[in-house]
Amino acid sequence: MASRSVAVIGAGQGGLDTAAALRAKGYDGRITLVGEEPALPYQRPPLSKGFLTGAIGHADLTLRTESFFEAQDIELVTGDRACHIDLFGSRIELASGGRLDYDRLVLATGSRPRPLPVPGADLNGVLTLRTLADAEALRALLDGPPRQVAIVGAGFVGLELASTARSLGHEVTVVEAQARVLARALTPQLSRWLADRHRQQGVRLLTNSEVAALYGSASGQVEVLQLRDGTRLPADLVVIGIGVLPRTELAADAGLLVGDGVIVDPRLRTTDRSVYAIGDCARFPDSGPGRHIRLESVQNASGQARCVAAAICGDDAPYTAVPWFWSEQCALRLQMAGLTADHDETVTVGDPDEGRFSVLCYREGTLVGVESVGRPADHGIARRLLATGAWPTADEARAPGFNLKSFALKPPSQRLPARA
Amino acid sequence: MAKITYQHPNGTITVVDVQAPNTVMRGAKLNNVDGIEAQCGGSAQCGTCHVYIDEASTVPLPPMDEVEDDVLYGTACPRRENSRLSCQLPVTDDLDGLLVHLPEAQS
Ligand SMILES: Cc1cc2nc3c(=O)[nH]c(=O)nc-3n(C[C@H](O)[C@H](O)[C@H](O)COP(=O)(O)OP(=O)(O)OC[C@H]3O[C@@H](n4cnc5c(N)ncnc54)[C@H](O)[C@@H]3O)c2cc1C
Ligand code: FES
């Protein structure tokens, strides 16, 4: 049965891509996209990169213009929040009082910054970075005389921001609770290498350091960040970047299954067959057996959006795309393909000293992911090889002179040794 | 402004007017031309804005830099001699009449 209306909650990357893909695939029912932010849907990646330096302006952030929504007959509701889902009535309620009926509902509510549970986190000058409004506030503060900037959390957003703030001439300290930067996302090799780059740029990196409290002036402006070991760091701008929490409250309130994300099946359906969840807010089964994962990337939001749009149009295939991610910091291109978290073996190809290398990550002999610095060809090839399974073994990769470019160009019959 | 034609693998075409300072990629996105994903938003990171320039084209294009060349190794559909990243093609009046062919898949 063809559905007559689709409602999408969340007008970010995933929500917008769902609506656009539905129309591109010929869906001719009603499409409503509800977003609580005031602006047209925009891309977040530049918010910690070029937007803060002014290299990227508002027009480049915007994913589509106003006329796009008219031309595609997509009803875009901005500045309004869905506050209740009635699964039995197939209807959502908006904070403005409006109601919206749907045949299919897509949850693309994204995530919010994880709050830092210490005294003083509500002082003036303590910011997070998720939305355009956050980035505008930060840009205003960074666009001036040098400040003492403290960044809590050495994740992607924290480190990109550190690099950007440093390039703008600010004094930057990054405080990280783990023993190394990007501990969850990167291999120890790349993590160490990247930390060195940040230090060379003049970023002060404090690992194994936890924030105990923030202290401010009489007027409530942050002035000092105190660590658990008692160290006090002067700071007039503190940015909290300790990860995100999926926005699951609407789903939970409606009675859908949630648990660090809205739980979905391989076709991205929630426990209600008419409701899908995608992007940062969704926890889905990895094609590896039995494991549910949640990913925070444009590729994931965008790929899942297209998968759900196809499903609504009748093409019911599971979501199986190879995850990938990119980051820009210290004037480097950092790209990751696959999921490297539980690797047990690595092979590095290329030259770390030159800033051009890739780390191939294996688990029990299977290539699970590749991290690349300054080697965009490796990254693209790795994505293809991970998708087809035609990757080099660790022994092949260790052979002198090995590189992914020539491996990928070689016909499979000439590749050695043949794998079982 | 330039008229850009996007031809889908099944032969259907979409002709749109694209203004500077947009790129050929953004021209497709703004007009919902299916078949260009552009996941990285034009920062030459993703290779999902791959197009084939029409072989008979005489439209002058900017040369390819090293990064674009590298990114083109990872496209979902095979790279050919006429492959380009549409996000690396800024629209100028010179591009008027450009015909690009969209690959079967971008990711
Ligand atoms: C600073 C920064 C840098 C990043 N850099 C990169 C990068 O380099 N590469 C990369 O791949 N990824 C990057 N990301 C991550 C990427 O932007 C996200 O993974 C992606 O935006 C997720 O898309 P989404 O649709 O799930 O959520 P979002 O894009 O966050 O959209 C969710 C939207 O839903 C709205 N919403 C939530 N609840 C409701 C409600 N009840 N009613 C109405 N609206 C609601 C929210 O306000 C929000 O606008 C970055 C993120 C940030 C913040
Ligand atoms: S849009 Fe990503 S490479 Fe062109």
Side-chain angles (χ1 to χ4, degrees):
Chain A
M1 185 193 73
S3 76
R4 283 155 291 125
S5 65
V6 177
V8 184
I9 304 181
Q13 187 76 51
L16 170 69
D17 283 355
T18 304
L22 278 167
R23 280 287 182 256
K25 288 178 199 305
Y27 180 78
D28 62 0
R30 181 179 178 194
I31 303 176
T32 314
L33 183 56
V34 182
E36 103 194 304
E37 293 188 65
L40 287 170
Y42 59 89
Q43 37 171 343
R44 297 186 197 282
L47 298 183
S48 48
K49 312 176 181 89
F51 181 74
L52 295 176
T53 61
I56 288 178
H58 284 88
D60 301 317
L61 281 186
T62 304
L63 287 163
R64 301 290 203 286
T65 54
E66 194 115 40
S67 57
F68 168 87
F69 296 94
E70 270 165 47
Q72 298 293 316
D73 193 18
I74 294 167
E75 290 169 53
L76 174 65
V77 179
T78 52
D80 202 353
R81 190 168 50 85
C83 57
H84 182 67
I85 305 170
D86 171 5
L87 293 177
F88 292 105
S90 295
R91 172 180 294 182
I92 58 179
E93 287 169 22
L94 304 180
S96 63
R99 278 152 197 258
L100 198 63
D101 294 324
Y102 65 81
D103 292 313
R104 295 284 183 278
L105 176 63
V106 181
L107 301 176
T109 50
S111 54
R112 63 161 60 87
R114 180 190 294 275
L116 181 69
V118 303
D122 54 353
L123 287 164
N124 291 330
V126 183
L127 276 61
T128 53
L129 179 52
R130 178 75 197 172
T131 64
L132 177 56
D134 295 340
E136 281 168 340
L138 194 54
R139 181 157 91 164
L141 292 171
L142 292 176
D143 180 24
R147 289 174 176 275
Q148 293 180 304
V149 182
I151 295 166
V152 184
F156 283 111
V157 171
L159 289 180
E160 288 179 356
L161 177 60
S163 168
T164 308
R166 194 68 202 117
S167 73
L168 291 169
H170 301 283
E171 260 181 58
V172 180
T173 305
V174 177
V175 178
E176 167 59 50
Q178 302 281 320
R180 59 185 181 90
V181 306
L182 280 161
R184 266 194 319 143
L186 297 184
T187 56
Q189 291 97 302
L190 186 52
S191 175
R192 257 194 316 271
W193 187 90
L194 191 61
D196 284 346
R197 285 293 165 123
H198 277 277
R199 291 199 175 98
Q200 281 162 20
Q201 274 208 336
V203 171
R204 187 171 170 208
L205 272 181
L206 304 176
T207 49
N208 290 313
S209 298
E210 272 185 71
V211 179
L214 302 170
Y215 297 102
S217 65
S219 64
Q221 165 64 36
V222 71
E223 288 181 329
V224 170
L225 180 151
Q226 182 166 326
L227 302 179
R228 281 267 161 83
D229 68 4
T231 310
R232 289 167 72 89
L233 307 169
D236 48 20
L237 172 59
V238 175
V239 185
I240 313 292
I242 54 171
V244 296
L245 299 173
R247 296 186 61 171
T248 55
E249 55 282 356
L250 259 187
D253 168 67
L256 298 171
L257 187 63
V258 305
D260 186 33
V262 183
I263 309 293
V264 294
D265 70 8
R267 291 174 168 75
L268 309 174
R269 282 180 310 208
T270 66
T271 40
D272 180 307
R273 285 299 163 98
S274 311
V275 184
Y276 299 84
I278 61 169
D280 279 20
C281 75
R283 178 166 286 272
F284 65 99
D286 185 8
S287 20
R291 187 174 64 158
H292 274 65
I293 55 172
R294 202 171 61 70
L295 297 175
E296 298 148 13
S297 71
V298 170
Q299 173 274 323
N300 183 62
S302 194
Q304 295 192 335
R306 277 190 308 279
C307 179
V308 162
I312 292 171
C313 293
D315 172 10
D316 214 12
Y319 180 72
T320 55
V322 173
W324 70 270
F325 188 81
W326 86 94
S327 174
E328 289 156 34
Q329 36 189 301
C330 306
L332 295 164
R333 296 174 158 261
L334 198 63
Q335 297 172 301
M336 287 131 283
L339 297 173
T340 58
D342 37 14
H343 68 272
D344 52 28
E345 185 180 7
T346 62
V347 180
T348 301
V349 297
D351 187 354
D353 291 338
E354 257 184 44
R356 289 170 179 253
F357 64 104
S358 293
V359 184
L360 281 60
C361 301
Y362 294 85
R363 181 175 65 240
E364 293 170 4
T366 300
L367 186 74
V368 290
V370 176
E371 305 171 323
S372 302
V373 175
R375 302 255 286 204
D378 281 8
H379 169 71
I381 291 166
R383 270 160 51 194
R384 305 264 72 80
L385 298 182
L386 286 164
T388 58
W391 33 264
T393 63
D395 284 340
E396 281 176 283
R398 262 190 294 266
F402 173 87
N403 76 67
L404 278 170
K405 253 192 209 175
S406 28
F407 176 83
L409 295 174
K410 232 194 282 179
S413 59
Q414 287 177 26
R415 290 181 194 158
L416 291 170
R419 272 192 310 278
Chain B
M1 196 176 71
K3 247 187 213 334
I4 312 278
T5 305
Y6 301 86
Q7 180 161 354
H8 294 269
N10 67 5
T12 57
I13 59 166
T14 314
V15 186
V16 300
D17 288 327
V18 188
Q19 308 269 2
N22 289 308
T23 57
V24 173
M25 175 277 274
R26 197 145 161 94
K29 295 299 267 183
L30 293 175
N31 295 284
N32 214 12
V33 176
D34 196 14
I36 291 195
E37 291 178 14
Q39 293 179 4
C40 75
S43 41
Q45 295 266 10
C46 71
T48 66
C49 65
H50 179 203
V51 295
Y52 300 112
I53 306 298
D54 187 62
E55 278 171 354
S57 173
T58 54
V59 173
L61 296 175
M64 188 185 292
D65 66 15
E66 193 193 334
V67 170
E68 179 179 350
D69 183 49
D70 269 3
V71 172
L72 280 167
Y73 278 91
T75 52
C77 283
R79 173 188 192 154
R80 299 197 204 124
E81 289 207 344
N82 53 342
S83 285
R84 293 295 303 253
L85 294 179
S86 57
C87 73
Q88 301 303 306
L89 301 174
V91 168
T92 60
D93 292 350
D94 287 352
L95 259 59
D96 193 45
L98 180 68
L99 167 59
V100 299
H101 299 267
L102 300 165
E104 294 275 351
Q106 294 284 8
S107 63

